[in-house]
Amino acid sequence: MLGRHIHPIVAVATAPGRGGVGIVRVSGRSISSFILALCSKPLLPRHATYLAFPDESGQILDKGLAIYFPAPHSYTGEDVLELHAHGGPVVLQLLMERCFGVAAAVSQQGQVCLPLLRVAEPGEFTERAFLNGKIDLTQAEAISDLIEASTETAARSAARSMSGEFSKVVNELLEKLIHLRMLVEATLDFPEEDIDFLQKANASGQLSRLQETLTSVIQRASQGVVLREGIKVVIAGQPNAGKSSLLNALAGADIAIVTPVAGTTRDKISQLIQVHGVPLHVVDTAGLRQTQDDVEKIGVARAWSEIETADVVLFLHDTTLYSSPDPGVAISYAAKDEVIAKTLAKLLPKSKAVIDVWNKSDLVTGLSIPRNGLLISAKCGAGLEALRQTLLSTVGWQTLPEGVFMARERHLVALKRVAVQLQSAMDQISANQPALDLLAEDLRQAQQYLGQITGVFSADDLLKEIFSRFCIGK
């Protein structure tokens, strides 16, 4: 993996399409002669120099700024050159071609011992920053998360992780864990010293404090995962329960068509909204019922498919039918609701929440809700704030006083594995005759799981998976 990083790389660092400014970025080891040949003049480090960008025949392609960041004081830790030109795709492509031509000419003259310039792979600039020790793995991931943040809260949390807040917490845990390991290893390696490890070193107390800190970190990381991934909320129920009206009310816009005709929604309608800074992927689905209409059958099948992958299902009930003056109508509707409820119970694992929502409260009075849930009016907005709060609390979201840092599922998995190992270590310490070799192994594995978070211990395939998801210019 490291071999490919001897090549200098180039890419357009700004988003695809037209814009006022576009940036072509070059990074490589000792490329000062290439920079001199391309810009036809020396560049002061970290100073913007206004100049013309000619093609190989001397004709001007554009005029703009060139900025040189010499190693190691650059984003990647290598020599970096940025060309700031007008943001037209053709102009930037011509600048890229000019870079390739200059690199080839300089290499042929023997001024550069590196291989020829090549196009950067997705995320390769940030990957080089990680490999050159400019950032750790959580900071690298936070850069991508900041770019992709869909809410202000998510962006601020990603910025905290990018600045190293998450890494600092993990590294503090690592330091304490390494200190504890050192004491255990000393007891194993020098038994003749008769070190009363468990009492004199207060191993139990140290480990207990580690567990307390880890619990807090897991809580903050869990919040970060919610911020990054968002919550998939599927609105389900019988036709005409008001599912599309609820989507529109939550989104604050007319996203879905609403009519009194049953079966109006025949396919899923998705909308990304935010509730108190948390992204919600809300999916409106076709009414769940038996039908002879082939198109509606497909819509119902897709509805069940969306329900299977939901984090939360809002099971919508029509209160006007539950309180219908015609007992037959009320009993029939309730029976169909019960069939849906039983199917949901069988289909969804216990980890997935189903919230009963009783809609159209503005049309009824004195309703006794058959099951626990929320009474709302999607039309008038009554009960919607309570529904928003319930959604957040259902997935464990809460505002933490110390703030949330952006985290990923892999971070959370690693932290939970650390918790398992520390609990196993505590069990050993608490035993009458602890097996110190097993205790040492528990602490070693806990350290390795922590190291995977920041990249101290990382397999090449993990790095490839992470950086391949970045945009090319980053």
Side-chain angles (χ1 to χ4, degrees), residues 246 249-250 375-378 380-389:
L246 179 55
L250 291 173
L375 190 62
I376 71 163
S377 170
C380 301
L384 289 185
E385 182 56 29
L387 176 58
R388 295 186 183 100
Q389 294 293 346

Side-chain angles (χ1 to χ4, degrees), residues 157-178:
S157 298
R160 278 193 285 271
S161 289
M162 188 175 67
S163 66
E165 184 175 328
F166 188 17
S167 305
K168 180 182 177 182
V169 171
V170 172
N171 288 331
E172 287 174 353
L173 279 171
L174 269 172
E175 288 179 10
K176 294 175 182 176
L177 187 55
I178 290 171

